[in-house]
């Protein structure tokens, strides 16, 4: 499932770029996400609690920046995990592209999401709605961190 969202941050592109590359600092901005380990090679262990309608799903997995193009201000992060009760899996490739916008920065986020098990039963509409709400909270947190 492909999802696209965009938000603005009232901070210069270089500060936003540095913030996005700092996974331990960035992870707490994602609602429900917690880093629990650092493999030391750029791979981070984490947990995510996702609320889809009345159901809360708990995932454990890894996240890693797979590419970062400073000149284009484009980074790709891959995250994958399994539901703790063994009922499903999720994988997401997130591409964030930053562009200057006046004195601030516009961030375009493309998400390629694959889910199986319980999460897959909710369908694209609900997952897209939840992702939009989470990204708004994420954007607010990034803005707060950079001010």
């Amino acid at each position: 499932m492909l999802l696209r969202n965009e938000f603005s941050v009232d901070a210069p592109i270089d500060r936003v770029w540095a913030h996005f590359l700092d996974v331990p600092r960035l992870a707490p901005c994602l609602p429900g996400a917690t880093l629990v380990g650092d493999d030391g090679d750029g791979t981070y262990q984490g947990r995510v609690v996702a609320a889809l309608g009345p159901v809360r799903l708990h995932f454990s997995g890894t996240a890693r920046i797979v590419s970062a193009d400073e000149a284009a201000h484009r980074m790709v992060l891959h995250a994958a995990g399994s539901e703790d009760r063994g009922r499903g899996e999720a994988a997401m490739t997130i591409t964030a592209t930053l562009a200057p916008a006046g004195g601030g920065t516009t961030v375009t986020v493309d998400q390629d999401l694959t889910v199986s098990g319980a999460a897959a039963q909710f369908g694209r509409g609900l997952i897209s709605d939840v992702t939009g709400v989470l990204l708004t909270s994420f954007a607010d947190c990034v803005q707060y961190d950079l001010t």
Side-chain angles (χ1 to χ4, degrees):
M1 164 181 341
L2 298 174
L3 304 168
R4 174 172 269 203
N5 291 286
E6 187 174 283
F7 62 90
S8 296
V9 179
D10 189 22
I13 194 168
D14 291 335
R15 286 188 58 217
V16 178
W17 177 250
H19 189 67
F20 270 59
L21 294 177
D22 186 349
V23 173
R25 186 173 171 204
L26 190 63
C29 282
L30 182 61
T34 305
L35 285 185
V36 295
D38 179 348
D39 291 356
D41 64 355
T43 301
Y44 299 90
Q45 303 294 321
R47 293 196 175 124
V48 174
V49 177
L52 296 170
V55 176
R56 294 174 64 84
L57 302 172
H58 299 256
F59 289 89
S60 296
T62 61
R64 176 183 183 87
I65 295 175
V66 294
S67 70
D69 181 344
E70 186 170 0
H73 291 107
R74 181 179 179 270
M75 69 171 280
V76 178
L77 181 134
H78 181 75
S82 298
E83 211 240 318
D84 291 346
R85 294 185 181 177
R87 297 186 326 210
E89 297 181 345
M92 184 179 332
T93 300
I94 303 164
T95 303
T97 307
L98 284 59
T105 303
T106 298
V107 180
T108 302
V109 179
D110 293 310
Q111 300 163 315
D112 187 356
L113 175 64
T114 304
V115 294
S116 66
Q121 297 173 14
F122 291 96
R124 178 181 173 84
L126 180 59
I127 292 173
S128 179
D129 290 347
V130 169
T131 300
V133 170
L134 293 177
L135 202 62
T136 298
S137 294
F138 174 81
D140 291 344
C141 179
V142 169
Q143 179 66 60
Y144 178 81
D145 280 355
L146 291 172
T147 56

